[in-house]
Amino acid sequence: MRSDKKTDIKPSIMLNHKNAIYRLSQITDLPVMSVAEDICNHGIQQKKVITYLSRNFVTNLRLNNTVFIGDSKRNRYNRRLAAGATGRVSIRFKKEDYNNIYELATALGGCTPSLACALLLEASMQDPDIINDFAKRYMDEHVSEEKMKELKKVLKFINTNNPYQEELSWSYLLSHLFEEVRVGAEKIQDTVSTFVVNSWKK
């Protein structure tokens, strides 16, 4: 058996979360499977995400150097917290990452890895820091170092001089650049140059 063989999980998640993942896939031109896998793998390493999920833990879960306490008096988690339309996404995990999902399922009282994955994916999608980090890492990998430096300067300038409460994030910026691609530019890299030039002109 190959050591790099991946295990399939097909979680059913709320439709709005599925649509968001598909949009990220469209923006980045990455497979849906890869986007969902990345978000899950980063989400399970985030203390606030697991803390949120731990309110349903029946047994303890140890991740890195943190132990999340379960309560044996809780019932096994086998129902969704919220009602609504759902849709399946397919994800393939490496052995180590699948084991993390399995341990999460065990902490939830022995629910299926699919349900544990669904809960993790939804909780991770609701964390702006995780999505922002995803967008930032994508930009780092697909935009030149020089242009990234300019983008950082532009973001800092805009946020420093922004009279509104919300900051412009990397995820918002990536979405904005994608819209520019849709209306004419060939690729994200092309829109970065235009965005930087136009931003300094304002």
Side-chain angles (χ1 to χ4, degrees):
M1 181 180 294
R2 289 170 43 190
S3 60
D4 61 345
K5 180 178 175 59
K6 289 188 172 183
T7 301
D8 291 334
I9 299 182
K10 297 181 179 180
S12 291
I13 60 175
M14 301 300 292
L15 204 54
N16 58 336
H17 289 103
K18 179 181 178 179
N19 291 339
I21 291 171
Y22 271 74
R23 177 165 173 78
L24 283 174
S25 170
Q26 186 180 20
I27 290 172
T28 58
D29 200 29
L30 295 172
V32 169
M33 188 177 292
S34 298
V35 173
E37 178 190 9
D38 184 278
I39 291 173
C40 281
N41 288 340
H42 279 78
I44 204 166
Q45 300 299 325
Q46 298 302 311
K47 185 176 181 179
K48 60 181 175 179
V49 170
I50 304 304
T51 297
Y52 170 76
L53 294 176
S54 69
R55 61 184 180 174
N56 295 300
F57 284 0
V58 176
T59 61
N60 296 348
L61 175 67
R62 183 182 184 86
L63 283 174
N64 301 320
N65 295 318
T66 303
V67 176
F68 299 88
I69 305 300
D71 184 349
S72 60
K73 295 179 181 178
R74 293 187 181 122
N75 294 323
R76 168 186 171 182
Y77 191 90
N78 57 14
R79 292 195 302 269
R80 306 198 63 83
L81 289 174
T86 61
R88 287 189 181 277
V89 292
S90 294
I91 313 174
R92 300 182 69 208
F93 290 101
K94 295 179 181 178
K95 180 177 175 56
E96 180 181 355
D97 300 325
Y98 176 82
N99 288 342
N100 287 335
I101 301 292
Y102 183 84
E103 292 298 324
L104 177 61
T106 300
L108 288 164
C111 71
T112 64
S114 178
L115 178 54
C117 183
L119 296 172
L120 172 63
L121 188 52
E122 290 182 352
S124 300
M125 287 295 295
Q126 295 178 69
D127 184 349
D129 291 339
I130 291 177
I131 304 305
N132 201 42
D133 178 67
F134 174 87
K136 173 64 164 52
R137 284 185 288 110
Y138 174 83
M139 300 283 278
D140 281 336
E141 293 173 7
H142 294 83
V143 176
S144 70
E145 183 177 353
E146 180 181 354
K147 286 188 173 69
M148 279 301 293
K149 288 181 180 178
E150 290 302 311
L151 278 176
K152 289 175 183 177
K153 291 178 183 177
V154 170
L155 277 177
K156 182 177 181 180
F157 173 79
I158 292 175
N159 288 328
T160 300
N161 296 276
N162 186 357
Y164 310 106
Q165 296 295 322
E166 295 184 1
E167 284 194 351
L168 180 63
S169 65
W170 285 104
S171 54
Y172 178 90
L173 176 59
L174 182 59
S175 180
H176 169 77
L177 295 176
F178 170 71
E179 292 300 329
E180 293 298 314
V181 170
R182 290 182 63 184
V183 298
E186 294 183 0
K187 51 189 177 180
I188 289 288
Q189 292 88 331
D190 296 333
T191 65
V192 169
S193 298
T194 303
F195 177 80
V196 168
V197 171
N198 290 341
S199 296
W200 288 129
K201 283 182 178 180
K202 292 180 180 180

